[in-house]
């Protein structure tokens, strides 16, 4: 009989829990994908969402949850061989938020880190990547509009033993989304 991968079990629970939050009216799911990358032989599940009624707004903060597993993890599990130290998946959370004013960017970055540290307790490693769209023949510097991709990386694998933690992870993600949306709204006003 076919035995689902750790990745499949976690993906089903994660996806179901996010859809539960959508059905409750807290968030709106705006995209999802379940990919098998044939070039590097890894699996990735991605689901993105915004706060409810913000999905059409360009000022919306978007949350993305990425679940990945590698060829080594899949092979170790299927062959029942210790090919990796720990069989499991990794999860990263990304937030994409607009930053309309380029002034005092370092302070805004510190404020975002503080907001997330207050929610997550300094647990995930946080990186921020600023992006600016520069159109051909319309070079404007400094740019008026920036996008900040904030990444929360836990630097560890999870497995079925962590399934009960997924609901807390989603709760923290929605709480972070709410606070980051308030921060972005304040920044844009």
């Amino acid at each position: 009989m076919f035995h689902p991968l750790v990745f499949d079990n976690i993906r089903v629970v994660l996806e179901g829990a996010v859809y539960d939050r959508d059905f409750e009216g807290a968030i709106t799911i705006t995209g999802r994908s379940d990919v098998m990358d044939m070039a590097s032989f890894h699996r990735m599940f991605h689901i993105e969402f915004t706060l409810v009624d913000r999905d059409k707004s360009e000022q919306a903060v978007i949350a993305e949850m990425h679940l990945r597993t590698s060829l080594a993890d899949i092979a170790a599990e299927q062959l029942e061989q210790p090919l990796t130290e720990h069989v499991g998946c990794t999860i990263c959370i990304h937030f994409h938020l607009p930053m309309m004013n380029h002034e005092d960017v370092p302070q805004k970055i510190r404020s975002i880190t503080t907001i997330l540290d207050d929610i997550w307790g300094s647990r995930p490693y946080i990186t921020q990547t600023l992006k600016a769209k520069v159109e051909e023949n319309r070079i404007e510097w400094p740019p008026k509009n920036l996008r900040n991709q904030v990444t929360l990386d836990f630097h560890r694998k999870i497995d079925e033993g962590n399934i009960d933690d997924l609901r807390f992870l989603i709760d923290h993600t929605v709480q972070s989304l709410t606070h980051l949306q308030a921060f972005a709204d304040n920044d844009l006003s």
Side-chain angles (χ1 to χ4, degrees):
M1 182 176 159
F2 172 74
H3 182 276
L5 298 173
V6 169
F7 175 86
D8 293 314
N9 290 332
I10 293 173
R11 180 192 55 80
V12 167
V13 173
L14 177 67
E15 185 177 21
V18 172
Y19 270 94
D20 285 347
R21 295 304 297 264
D22 183 281
F23 294 141
E24 292 168 4
I27 61 170
T28 300
I29 295 173
T30 56
R32 62 177 289 284
S33 65
D34 191 355
V35 177
M36 173 64 179
D37 186 324
M38 298 305 289
S40 61
F41 291 102
H42 75 265
R43 296 261 323 260
M44 185 174 85
F45 174 72
H46 154 245
I47 191 161
E48 72 177 39
F49 49 91
T50 63
L51 292 176
V52 72
D53 297 329
R54 296 303 288 254
D55 59 315
K56 304 277 192 263
S57 171
E58 288 189 22
Q59 311 312 326
V61 176
I62 300 167
E64 293 181 18
M65 301 181 87
H66 289 234
L67 182 68
R68 285 179 68 119
T69 193
S70 68
L71 173 62
D73 289 302
I74 294 169
E77 189 173 357
Q78 291 297 307
L79 298 173
E80 298 178 2
Q81 298 287 326
L83 302 175
T84 68
E85 186 176 313
H86 176 101
V87 174
C89 315
T90 58
I91 192 162
C92 283
I93 301 167
H94 304 279
F95 297 97
H96 303 272
L97 59 146
M99 293 175 63
M100 298 301 278
N101 188 345
H102 66 279
E103 295 174 11
D104 206 17
V105 169
Q107 178 57 38
K108 291 177 185 179
I109 289 171
R110 282 190 290 276
S111 296
I112 290 168
T113 299
T114 300
I115 289 168
L116 294 171
D117 281 344
D118 287 347
I119 295 168
W120 294 89
S122 302
R123 174 65 180 102
Y125 183 75
I126 300 170
T127 57
Q128 298 185 50
T129 305
L130 296 174
K131 299 176 184 181
K133 184 176 182 178
V134 180
E135 296 186 30
E136 181 180 23
N137 301 321
R138 294 183 184 208
I139 297 172
E140 179 181 312
W141 202 261
K144 289 182 182 173
N145 301 328
L146 296 172
R147 292 292 293 177
N148 186 355
Q149 177 180 308
V150 183
T151 301
L152 281 61
D153 192 341
F154 298 90
H155 290 294
R156 70 182 185 100
K157 289 183 183 176
I158 60 173
D159 58 24
E160 283 109 337
N162 303 104
I163 283 180
D164 290 339
D165 299 334
L166 291 178
R167 193 157 300 280
F168 295 111
L169 186 80
I170 293 164
D171 289 345
H172 280 57
T173 301
V174 172
Q175 183 181 5
S176 299
L177 181 61
T178 302
H179 284 78
L180 291 174
Q181 185 66 65
F183 175 83
D185 290 344
N186 187 46
D187 183 47
L188 299 173
S189 61

